[in-house]
Amino acid sequence: MKLVNNSAEIKTVENEDGSMQITAVAAEVGVVNRNGMILRPNSLQTDRERYPLLYNHGEMVIGDCGLTYDEIGNKYITDMNVYDTNPSIRKAVENGAFNSVSVAYYLTDYDFNDYGDIVVNAAILKEISLVSVPADPNANFIENAFSEDLLKERTEHLNSLKTIENELMEIKKRYE
C-alpha cells in the first residue's frame, strides 16, 4: 500500500450549541492533479463512519471526521468536528489560519494511463488533517508520500512508453 495525502479548502460553520463544524471538499475526482494522480469515483474506501482529525498529519487528534462521495459534484466531501480540547487550534481555524484539509490514504489498486499519470482505482482512508499552508490552492493534492517502489514503477512505465514511442517512430521512418 502507498500513502497519499490530498488537500482542499475548508468552510467553517458555527453550530447552535457552539461547537465547530467544518465542511470541506477533500478531493476532486477525475482530475489530473499536479502530482500526476487521478482519483476514480468511489475509489476512497472507508470501513467506519468517523476517522481521526489530526493536526498537520501529526499524532495530535484534534477532532473527528467523516468522508462521503458526492456523485453530483464528483468530489469527496468531509465533515469535521474540532474538539474544544484544543482552543488555540479552534481559534486559528476561526481566524482563517487553517484554511485547508489534507486527506491521507493508502493506495491499494492503481494503474498508469498513457501519460504516466497514476489512476487510483482503490485506496483506504487513513485520516484527515487540518493543514496551515496548502501547496496547491486549487484543491489538488499537496503531498504524495510516494514510496520508492511506486516512484520506480512510475519511472519504468514512463520509460516503456518512451521506448514504444521510439519504436513507432522507427517504423514510421521505414515507410516514408
Side-chain angles (χ1 to χ4, degrees):
M1 288 193 270
K2 319 306 187 247
L3 177 64
V4 178
N5 296 323
N6 169 56
S7 173
E9 262 186 59
I10 66 173
K11 179 174 64 174
T12 306
V13 176
E14 190 71 25
N15 292 329
E16 289 180 15
D17 64 0
S19 65
M20 181 180 290
Q21 176 85 30
I22 301 172
T23 303
V25 175
E28 292 183 305
V29 174
V31 177
V32 179
N33 67 41
R34 62 191 288 223
N35 293 312
M37 295 186 74
I38 306 167
L39 283 173
R40 289 194 185 244
N42 289 309
S43 58
L44 294 181
Q45 303 165 358
T46 60
D47 61 2
R48 58 189 184 270
E49 288 186 33
R50 305 304 289 174
Y51 281 81
L53 176 63
L54 302 181
Y55 171 71
N56 279 328
H57 294 294
E59 295 181 13
M60 184 186 345
V61 176
I62 61 170
D64 62 80
C65 56
L67 185 73
T68 56
Y69 175 64
D70 173 11
E71 290 183 28
I72 295 170
N74 203 29
K75 55 185 87 174
Y76 289 93
I77 307 294
T78 182
D79 65 285
M80 301 172 280
N81 294 308
V82 178
Y83 299 157
D84 60 4
T85 55
N86 298 291
S88 61
I89 291 174
R90 283 179 59 109
K91 186 66 173 170
V93 170
E94 291 169 355
N95 291 340
F98 289 102
N99 62 1
S100 298
V101 296
S102 180
V103 179
Y105 52 87
Y106 292 97
L107 294 176
T108 57
D109 181 24
Y110 59 91
D111 295 309
F112 294 96
N113 66 14
D114 292 340
Y115 305 102
D117 303 317
I118 297 170
V119 179
V120 179
N121 299 316
I124 300 169
L125 180 64
K126 178 183 180 236
E127 50 87 0
I128 297 175
S129 287
L130 284 178
V131 293
S132 57
V133 180
D136 188 342
N138 295 317
N140 292 327
F141 288 25
I142 60 163
E143 177 184 356
N144 287 323
F146 288 130
S147 61
E148 291 297 319
D149 59 333
L150 181 57
L151 286 172
K152 181 180 176 186
E153 186 177 349
R154 186 177 192 184
T155 301
E156 289 171 356
H157 178 76
L158 289 172
N159 288 339
S160 103
L161 287 175
K162 288 177 186 174
T163 301
I164 292 169
E165 185 178 326
N166 289 339
E167 289 173 1
L168 290 173
M169 293 301 287
E170 289 296 320
I171 291 170
K172 183 180 175 185
K173 285 180 187 177
R174 283 188 229 149
Y175 291 99
E176 289 181 339

